[in-house]
Amino acid sequence: MTNVAVIYYSSTGNIHAMAEAAARAAEKAGADQVRLLKVAELAPAAAVESNPAWAEHAAATADVAEASTADLEWADVVLFGTPTRFGLPAAQLKQFIDTTGGLWSQGRLVNKVVSSFTSTATGHGGQESTLLALNNTFYHWGAIIVPPGFADPVQFDPANGNPYGASSVSGYAPRNVADANLAAVEFQTRRAVEIAAALRRGLLNT
Ligand SMILES: Cc1cc2nc3c(=O)[nH]c(=O)nc-3n(C[C@H](O)[C@H](O)[C@H](O)COP(=O)(O)O)c2cc1C
């Protein structure tokens, strides 16, 4: 029994496209249940409306459920997606993470299998720093970080090659994710689901 939550923030659809790919991949990988969940928007409506691509994406994803700490408790595997914001995860995702104090204090996040992906405008815009910043939280949780590494041929594609987590380069365009990056998310998700299943079997046998 493997429950997978894909929890993401996206302004203009790049991370949303990757999150959808992750959710599809989790189902394909044999997860029992999969939830695709966005985190709450924190930006004022005026800011969202000032950018047509942002407003369009917000409207198009209005029916995506918002993540709660109950989803984290439910999940065995959590894939986190965030665009890079000045080399860091988006505040919206960080705000959600900062609601997990209760679960953390009860040890309820220990052994969650986690992995994360990002999108930047430029190739050197801070993909690794974003993913490493998320990992800081996962260490505190006692979660099991499952990076893609170079554990599959797809990772050797020059468009990927990010062992920290799938990372797309949008060039500032909305929903502009290369197929190679979607393939990387798919592999990363499959690996996380397989490791979670193996961990579960191992823990049950001890
Ligand atoms: C406030 C802000 C900060 C950003 N900081 C970076 C950055 O440090 N490096 C980068 O390459 N892109 C940066 N970007 C661009 C986004 O990360 C990039 O466009 C991403 O693909 C957007 O993903 P989304 O479509 O899912 O929102 C920034 C965008 C905004 C609005």
Side-chain angles (χ1 to χ4, degrees), residues 132-203:
L132 289 170
L134 282 175
N135 285 354
N136 285 334
T137 291
F138 305 147
Y139 302 130
H140 285 252
W141 287 356
I144 313 288
I145 299 169
V146 175
F150 288 91
D152 186 270
V154 80
Q155 290 295 107
F156 290 87
D157 185 321
N160 290 322
N162 193 328
Y164 301 80
S167 301
S168 81
V169 178
S170 67
Y172 305 97
R175 209 174 168 93
N176 183 34
V177 183
D179 286 347
N181 299 139
L182 296 176
V185 177
E186 181 168 344
F187 162 64
Q188 181 176 356
T189 304
R190 187 171 73 244
R191 177 165 152 78
V193 171
E194 286 171 359
I195 296 287
L199 186 65
R200 188 178 200 90
R201 283 195 301 274
L203 289 172

Side-chain angles (χ1 to χ4, degrees), residues 3-38:
N3 293 333
V4 178
V6 181
I7 298 180
Y8 77 95
Y9 174 74
S10 184
S11 294
T12 55
N14 288 289
I15 287 296
H16 179 247
M18 295 171 83
E20 284 185 320
R24 281 194 303 271
E27 273 164 20
K28 249 169 77 181
D32 293 283
Q33 290 189 60
V34 180
R35 294 180 185 172
L36 175 67
L37 302 159
K38 67 186 181 196

Side-chain angles (χ1 to χ4, degrees), residues 9-17 54 57 82-88 118-127 130 168-176:
Y9 174 74
S10 184
S11 294
T12 55
N14 288 289
I15 287 296
H16 179 247
W54 195 355
H57 178 70
T82 175
T84 288
R85 292 280 185 263
F86 304 123
L88 290 167
T118 191
S119 175
T120 52
T122 64
H124 296 282
Q127 299 172 343
T130 299
S168 81
V169 178
S170 67
Y172 305 97
R175 209 174 168 93
N176 183 34

Side-chain angles (χ1 to χ4, degrees), residues 73-140:
E73 203 169 4
W74 165 87
D76 303 297
V77 178
V78 189
L79 276 298
F80 288 96
T82 175
T84 288
R85 292 280 185 263
F86 304 123
L88 290 167
Q92 288 86 343
L93 185 65
K94 181 63 166 62
Q95 162 65 18
F96 173 70
I97 283 171
D98 288 353
T99 66
T100 63
L103 286 184
W104 163 80
S105 68
Q106 298 164 55
R108 310 289 271 265
L109 298 168
V110 171
N111 289 350
K112 298 286 179 189
V113 167
V114 296
S115 202
S116 49
F117 55 90
T118 191
S119 175
T120 52
T122 64
H124 296 282
Q127 299 172 343
E128 284 97 10
S129 58
T130 299
L131 299 174
L132 289 170
L134 282 175
N135 285 354
N136 285 334
T137 291
F138 305 147
Y139 302 130
H140 285 252

